Structure formats: C-alpha cells, structure tokens
C-alpha cells in the first residue's frame, strides 16, 4: 500500500538528519569551518551590496557673507530656519576635533560604524535595569541626524545601525566626521561647528582655543540645556566641561579648567543694506548640490555657502560712525537720515555702502536703501553737461558763457540764488553751479544729448526725452546713488564706464564702455577741483586734491555731495525717505561737510601718497596761455594771461579779438579809423565785446573799457572795415524752418561793442530796428525769407528762413 506524501517527506527528512548527525560526529571541525566560511561570505556579500546613502545631498547650508578681508558680515538662515555654515574638516581646529572624539567616540577610527562592545554594555545595563549608557558612535549620530531617525525604539535603533553601516561602507572616516561636525546640534537653531563658533565666540572654527573647543564639544549631547547664553551663567555647560576633563583623564589642576564659556552679546549683522543686495544677487542662496567628496564640499556648494564680497568692514564702520555723529550733531537742523557709498575706481569695488542712518529705526524708514532709491540729484549731473560740451567742441574750460536770464520755450530756469553773474568762464560756472549756463549748454548738445548719454550709461529714465526737457541737468529726473557713483567713476577712469563689483567672484573689467573721451573726462574733473567748504580743516595745501560737486533738489528734498579723491569715489546724500522737505537740505551746507569729514577720516586711517592729477597718457591735450579776459588765445594786445587746457582740433579756439588797439583823437577823445596826419592821435587798447555780453556786464555791475564812438563825419566805408559784422543768433544757426504764423518771431544778433543799433531786413525790405543788445519782434507771413542784420557801421550778416 502506497504511503501518503507527507509521511514520505517526513521519513526523507529524518534520514537526512541522521546522515548529517553521522557526518558531524565523524568531522565536527570541518562543519564548523564551513559554517563560518558560509556566514562570513554572507556578511561580506551584505557589506558589499549595502546601498549608498546620501551624506549631505539636499542639506541646506547658511550663506556666510564676508568682507574682502574675511570678516563675517552676516550668516543667513537655511531653508529649515537653522544657522548652519558649511565648514570643511581642514578648516576646523584640531583641538575641537580631538575634544569631540574624546567625548563622543574615542574609538571612532577603529570601529566599522557600530561599537559592538558599547552596544553589549548598553544592552546588558538595560536588561539589569541599571542606568542607561550611550552606545551611539559618531557614525550612528550622523545617521540619526541625516535621516531624522527616531532611535528610542528597538526598531529605530536597528535602522540607525543599518544606516551607520551603509555610511561606513561608502564614505571615509574623514567624510563622516566632517558631516557630523556640520550637522551636530549646538543649541537653539544652531547646527554645525561653523555656525556655533561664529555665533558663540565670533570667530572661525580654525581659530578656536582648547577651552573653547572643550566647551563646544560637550553641547551636542544635550543641546537644549547646554546652549550658550549671554545673559546666564551656563551652569549646565560648565558642569559638562568638568565631566569632559574627568572622562578624558586630563589633569584636574590644568588652568584650562577654569574657563567659563559665555556667548558673545551681539549677533553679527554688519552692512545690512549691502548684504541684502548681495543676497538678492545670489538668489535664494540654496545649494542644489551638497555632495561631499574626499572631505571637501563640491565647488558649487562652496560658492553658494561662502560669499566673499568687496566690502571693507573697517571703512564701512567708519562711514557709519561719521553719519551717526553728524546726524546727532545736526538734529536741531532737522537732519534725520543720510546715505553714503564708497567705491574704488581701480576695480569698481564697493568698499562701503550705508543705506540709511539707522537700519533698525522705523521712524526714518531705516530699512530703505538710500543708495538704490531714485532721488533727484540736483546739480550733480552738471559736470557731464560740460564734459559733453567739450567733447562736441562747444567750449573749453576758459570759454566765456552767459549767466543771464533766458527763456527756453515755456521753460524759464533761474539760479539757486535767483541772481545772475553775467559773462562767466565755463570752469567758474560749473564750480559755482550756475544753472543758466548749464541749461544753455544742454540745449546745444547733440549726438548725444544729456538724456541719450544717461540712457546709454544705463541710468533708468522711464519717461521720454521731451517730458524731461532742459530741466534734466538741474535734477529734473530721479537717479540712484549707485548710478551717480558709476558716472563719476567714469570721469576718474578716462571716460570709461564699468559696472560696480560687490562680490570678489565678479570679473574685473579691464576696459569699460567709453562714454566720454579721455580728454573731456580729464578736463571736466579738473574743473571740479575747487576749494572745500570751511569745516574746521586748517591746512589743505599738503593733501591730495578733491574733485567734488554738490546738488540740491528742487523744493529742498535732497542734498547731495559727490567727490573723486585719490582712487576713490564717495557720494553722500542727506534727506528724508518720505520726501519731507527741509530748507536746510542744501548740498554745500548739508552734504558737503559730511563728505569732507569722511574724506579726512579715510585719509587719516589709510594714508596714501599724494598724487597730482595728470592727463591720461597720449591724450590729445595741450596746455597754453589764454587771454584771462576773453578766454581766447592771447593777441598782442592781451596783457592779462592765464594758463589752461584745450583739445586741439575740437575746442573752439581763436585768437582774442576783444582787445583791439584803436586811434584816439587827443583833442576830442573820439575814435578815428585811420591816421591821415591831420590830427594829434594816440593809440589805446579797448575791449570790443559782443553787444549781448556787454549788456550782461552792465547788468552785473562790471563795467568794461568800451571804445569811444567815431569822430563825427567819419565815412561809413572806413568804419565798416574796422570791426566784426553782427552775428544772427535768433533764429539759431541751422534753424531754417520756423513754425509761427500767429505770433511774432524773435530776432537777435550779436554785435561789436561800438554798435548802438541793428537794422533788420527781410528780402531786402526794411522791417525795423532795435538796440544792439535787444530783441526785435518780427510779425511775418508764410514764405521764404533772407534775413539781414545791418549795424550802424555798415557791417552786416544774413541767414535764410522759411515761415510755415
């Protein structure tokens, strides 16, 4: 009878077991050896096939913003709201590494991630009901911290052990230790030795002393109770330090045991506006690749975690102190807020950026960055009007300009003091910030105009050029301080415009974009070398020159002062972010004193050799004598002379025709055209100014030595040979098309000083006369005309116009 299948299987198993027993009895050692080999093979296979876990991939690290000398400016929070600064193992003090290993895991270098003896000891103590003892190695702690494991249950502890074995399988001891020191908790929201060292002791981990290292090494075991505090005795931490010495068998009498750790009282928060801008440039600041290789973070990770900037913290704090002191001393004048920026022209590094007088003062809106807020610049754009005018051949520094009332369509500008100086040199007009000459020059600029120049330089001008009109050189558009600094740096850099650098990783542009010729940039800067205001500075003869300009916005909302000195550009603003006006907000009286206080402090702290302002190499510039009165090349009759620069082939240079020698009848004191031998004559030099300038001299109370009239009966033909014909200036040269059928067209001409009247003709028909310096109104009809201006000496000039 056939047996059931189950019975047959049982009998087979019994027979196999009997055979195994007989083999074991015959050769027990062989079986044990085979078992051990099999077990070892299984363990090795498991070890080899353990999956590779991520070590630091995906971990968010704080950004550490540092100045150009490595000084910490700020540590940012990570995405999980922690302070966690990436620190490579070689940049951690050996004392800290040793103290941590001695306290946490003295056998770290020998075990495979798990210390079996410590586990056995802990388990035995748990079974006996005795006190719990720690058995976690540093590798196991990395596994717990990295993978957020709950290790208070047997299953959680098993997962921790498996993860620790995985880490040991795929990473070196140095990499694991480095990961631990960057993830270990040090109290509150501080993780990693980099953040703990900076926040608690204000230093990098590489500079920790042995007592400081011991103090930090004991915190991770109980971070909540042992965190350092500035306002407590930190008793728990101090007790733990004593335990460290006991556990590590250090001599109890060692003086280092007397160290009592205390946290620094202030959190690092320097140059807040500058750092905020750098962080915005960096984006979110999170590193997508946090993988560690051979104990070093990936290059991408290091770049994101550590930001080396161009800021000089000492200079930053110097400017901040000067602003605070100045605001405090002038609070009775209504000064509450200020901003400043310092840039090195050589590489365009931003060395200091003070956005407000007090970042934490809500009353002055201190968190607004005044260096990036568009404000009316007042007259600080005038140097670029003069530079463009010199580039376009309109003037040179000693050219004579008219500071006189004038209308430009519906625009009627006036000077700040509501007065007019009459004829004035271009350099003096800029130095004294006269509005009328600047507007007159701006009206003549072309290719580029001031608007086109600013737009080309990257200045944001949201409106079209006609909407700004000729108010642009007087502060008619808002501009940021950082843009203003770039423009002044271009003057100091031979007309080359380069971007500002805030990070040391930003490339240095050797050559910028040319916005002015080197010659015009040099001359414009030279025109700004004027005496400084009196602020208690005794002697300025032995210091390097300062090229500076002030600005006051319309309505007294903003006071500015910008200077180029040595190889720096410094800008200062005084005002209110809410736009509240103050009659004391005048550039020269409010901003300039603070500017020079800063310059004096910078020079005292960082003395540099005095260097003369010299023209750029191979520049097309020439320095010659000029007539001190007319600003032209001196003639034989020019007795007062002055040296000055001009651009050959560009500057409007001619020989002076203002000083002319004439024949005077001794008996009558009147002028005669030629010596016919019938009268006793003498030769005298008189000034022959154009009629418009002569009138300005008279209005300004500056009488000139004008020639006497001709002797009665002198022939007109003879008088016509002895002077210059009148020059029609309205309609302006090149304006051949006039659109005025309902009103009157103004006609005006420049004439010599001896001219009394101008006679006007249209197509040879007499239309009227006017005084030489006055305007004549012509009521015309449509058509084409040849306009003729004839003076009372028979000299004339003409131009063609079309009236629509």
């Amino acid at each position: 009878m056939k047996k059931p299948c189950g019975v047959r299987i049982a009998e087979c198993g019994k027979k196999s077991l009997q055979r195994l027993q007989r083999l074991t009895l015959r050769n027990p050692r062989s079986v044990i050896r085979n078992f051990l080999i099999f077990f070892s093979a299984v363990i090795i296979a498991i070890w080899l096939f353990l999956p590779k876990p991520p070590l630091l991939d995906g971990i968010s690290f704080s950004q550490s913003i540092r100045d150009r000398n490595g000084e910490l400016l700020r540590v940012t929070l990570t995405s999980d709201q922690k302070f966690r600064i990436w620190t490579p193992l070689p940049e951690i003090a050996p004392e800290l590494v040793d103290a941590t290993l001695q306290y946490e895991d003295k056998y770290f270098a020998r075990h495979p991630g798990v210390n079996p003896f410590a586990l056995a000891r802990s388990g035995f103590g748990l079974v006996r009901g005795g006190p719990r003892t720690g058995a976690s190695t540093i590798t196991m702690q990395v596994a717990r911290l990295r993978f957020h494991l709950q290790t208070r249950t047997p299953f959680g502890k098993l997962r921790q052990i498996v993860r620790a074995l995985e880490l040991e399988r795929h990473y070196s001891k140095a990499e694991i230790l480095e990961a631990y020191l960057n993830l270990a908790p040090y109290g509150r929201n501080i993780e990693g030795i980099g953040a703990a060292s900076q926040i608690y002791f204000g230093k990098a981990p590489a500079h920790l002393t042995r007592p400081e290292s011991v103090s930090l090494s004991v915190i991770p075991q109980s971070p909540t109770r042992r965190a350092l505090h500035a306002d407590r005795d930190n008793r728990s931490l101090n007790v733990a330090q004593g335990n460290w010495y006991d556990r590590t068998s250090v001599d109890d009498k060692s003086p280092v045991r007397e160290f009592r750790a205390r946290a620094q009282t202030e959190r690092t928060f320097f140059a807040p506006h500058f750092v905020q801008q750098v962080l915005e440039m960096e984006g979110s600041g999170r590193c997508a690749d946090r993988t560690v290789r051979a104990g070093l973070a990936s290059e991408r990770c290091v770049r994101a975690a550590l930001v080396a900037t161009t800021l000089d913290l000492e200079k930053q704090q110097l400017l901040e102190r000067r602003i605070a002191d100045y605001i405090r001393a002038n609070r009775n004048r209504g000064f509450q807020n200020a901003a400043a920026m310092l840039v090195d022209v050589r590489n365009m590094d931003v060395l200091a950026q003070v956005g407000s007088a007090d970042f934490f003062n809500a009353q002055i809106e201190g968190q607004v960055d005044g260096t990036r807020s568009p404000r009316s610049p007042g007259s600080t754009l005038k140097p670029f009007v003069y530079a463009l005018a010199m580039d376009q051949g309109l003037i040179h520094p000693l050219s004579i300009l008219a500071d006189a009332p004038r209308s430009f369509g519906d625009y009627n500008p006036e000077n700040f003091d509501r007065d007019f100086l009459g004829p004035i040199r271009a350099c003096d007009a800029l130095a004294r910030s006269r509005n009328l000459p600047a507007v007159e020059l701006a009206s003549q600029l072309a290719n580029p105009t001031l608007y086109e120049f600013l737009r080309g330089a990257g200045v944001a001008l949201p409106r079209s050029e006609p909407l700004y009109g000729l108010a642009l050189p007087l502060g008619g558009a808002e501009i940021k301080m950082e843009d203003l600094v770039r423009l002044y740096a271009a003057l100091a850099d031979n007309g080359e415009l380069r971007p500002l650098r805030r990070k040391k990783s930003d490339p240095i542009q050797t050559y910028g974009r040319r916005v002015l010729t080197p010659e015009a940039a040099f001359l414009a800067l030279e025109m700004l070398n004027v005496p400084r205001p009196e602020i208690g500075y005794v002697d300025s003869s032995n210091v390097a020159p300062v090229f500076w300009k002030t600005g006051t916005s319309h309505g007294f909302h903003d006071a500015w002062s910008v200077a180029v000195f040595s190889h720096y550009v410094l800008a200062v603003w005084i005002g209110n972010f809410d736009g509240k006006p103050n009659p004391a907000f005048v550039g020269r009286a409010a901003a300039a004193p603070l500017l020079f206080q800063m310059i004096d402090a910078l020079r005292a702290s960082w003395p540099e050799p005095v260097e003369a302002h010299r023209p750029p190499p191979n520049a097309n510039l020439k320095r010659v004598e000029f007539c001190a009165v007319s600003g032209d090349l001196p003639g034989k009759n020019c007795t007062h002379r002055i040296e000055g620069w001009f651009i050959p082939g560009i500057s409007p240079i001619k020989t002076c025709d203002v000083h002319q020698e004439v024949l005077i009848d001794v008996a009558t004191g009147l002028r005669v055209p030629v010596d016919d031998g019938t009268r006793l004559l003498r030769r005298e030099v008189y000034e022959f100014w154009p009629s418009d300038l002569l009138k300005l001299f008279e209005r300004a109370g500056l009488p000139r030595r004008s020639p006497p009239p001709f002797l009665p009966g002198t022939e007109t033909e003879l008088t016509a040979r002895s002077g210059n014909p009148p020059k029609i200036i309205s309609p302006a040269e090149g304006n051949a098309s006039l659109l005025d059928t309902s009103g009157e067209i103004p006609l005006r001409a420049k004439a010599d000083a001896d001219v009394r009247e101008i006679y006007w003709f249209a197509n040879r028909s007499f239309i009227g006369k006017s005084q030489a310096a006055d305007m004549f109104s012509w009521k015309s009809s449509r058509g084409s005309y040849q306009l003729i201006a004839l003076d009372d000496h028979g000299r004339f000039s003409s131009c063609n116009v079309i009236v629509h």
Side-chain angles (χ1 to χ4, degrees), residues 302-352:
V302 172
R303 284 201 306 267
L306 174 62
V307 182
T309 70
T310 62
L311 189 103
D312 189 317
L313 183 57
E314 288 189 62
K315 292 181 172 64
Q316 171 79 16
Q317 293 178 327
L318 184 148
L319 265 58
E320 289 174 349
R321 289 194 300 270
R322 286 289 172 270
I323 287 178
D325 293 344
Y326 190 77
I327 294 298
R328 191 181 306 110
N330 290 274
R331 200 171 297 281
N332 60 339
R333 298 170 63 189
F335 293 4
Q336 298 183 32
N337 210 348
M341 178 177 278
L342 178 68
V343 170
D344 190 331
V345 176
R346 297 171 297 182
N347 45 27
M348 296 304 291
D349 285 357
V350 177
L351 302 178

Side-chain angles (χ1 to χ4, degrees), residues 30-78:
S30 175
V31 173
I32 294 173
R33 183 177 64 250
N34 291 337
F35 176 77
L36 291 176
I37 292 173
F38 175 76
F39 182 77
S40 299
V42 171
I43 295 298
I44 292 173
I46 294 175
W47 177 261
L48 291 176
F49 286 97
L50 282 174
K52 182 178 182 179
L55 188 58
L56 290 178
D57 299 57
I59 296 295
S60 174
F61 284 93
S62 300
Q63 285 185 304
S64 177
I65 315 299
R66 298 182 178 274
D67 85 335
R68 66 192 302 110
N69 301 312
E71 296 291 335
L72 185 68
L73 301 178
R74 191 191 303 180
V75 178
T76 66
L77 287 169
T78 62

Side-chain angles (χ1 to χ4, degrees), residues 167-215:
L167 292 174
E168 287 281 346
R169 163 69 182 88
H170 292 284
Y171 298 100
S172 68
K173 289 289 186 180
E175 290 175 313
I176 295 171
L177 180 59
E178 183 179 63
Y180 172 76
L181 291 173
N182 279 280
L183 295 177
Y186 285 91
R188 301 197 290 274
N189 63 339
I190 303 169
E191 291 188 359
I193 191 61
S197 177
Q198 287 288 354
I199 294 174
Y200 287 148
F201 297 114
K203 61 175 66 175
H207 302 136
L208 288 170
T209 64
R210 183 184 175 192
E212 292 167 344
S213 298
V214 171
S215 177

Side-chain angles (χ1 to χ4, degrees), residues 418-621:
R418 301 181 183 275
D419 197 5
F420 304 97
L421 301 180
I424 187 173
R425 293 174 184 163
C427 57
D428 294 333
L430 177 58
R432 301 176 70 171
S433 199
R434 308 305 293 175
N435 290 345
L436 271 300
V439 175
E440 173 67 32
L441 286 176
S443 70
Q444 301 176 42
L445 296 178
N447 301 319
T449 61
L450 180 61
Y451 177 87
E452 294 167 343
F453 168 81
L454 294 175
R455 287 290 297 269
V459 177
L461 296 175
R463 301 178 181 178
S464 63
E465 185 170 9
L467 291 177
Y468 290 108
L470 291 176
L472 198 55
L474 307 185
E478 294 184 332
I479 187 172
K480 299 177 183 178
M481 178 184 286
E482 58 184 10
D483 288 331
L484 200 59
V485 167
R486 285 193 306 114
L487 292 173
Y488 274 80
L491 289 181
D493 197 22
N494 301 326
E496 292 187 5
L497 186 71
R498 293 184 290 165
L500 298 175
R501 291 180 72 242
R502 288 183 171 84
K503 298 185 296 179
K504 296 180 76 171
S505 59
D506 292 340
I508 298 177
Q509 291 192 10
T510 306
Y511 300 101
R513 186 167 62 84
R514 184 162 299 286
V515 293
L516 293 168
T517 64
E519 294 81 7
F522 170 79
L523 293 179
L525 202 60
E526 188 76 5
M527 292 164 70
L528 296 177
N529 186 13
V530 295
R532 55 186 285 168
E534 291 297 329
I535 55 171
Y537 192 82
V538 179
D539 184 14
S540 60
S541 60
N542 296 322
V543 298
V546 177
F547 308 92
W548 61 290
K549 184 73 184 74
T550 60
T552 305
S553 66
H554 181 72
F556 303 101
H557 297 279
D558 309 272
W560 292 85
S561 192
V562 189
V564 175
F565 64 102
S566 300
H567 47 82
Y568 302 111
V569 175
L570 175 63
V572 170
W573 169 85
I574 301 283
N576 297 310
F577 288 141
D578 60 4
K580 182 180 179 180
N582 184 341
F585 289 166
V586 178
R588 187 176 182 87
L594 176 58
L595 176 96
F596 279 97
Q597 287 181 19
M598 290 179 173
I599 292 175
D600 292 343
L602 287 167
R603 283 178 167 167
S605 302
W606 294 275
E608 297 183 4
V610 175
E611 297 181 1
H613 185 227
R614 303 185 185 280
N618 304 317
N620 180 30
L621 286 169

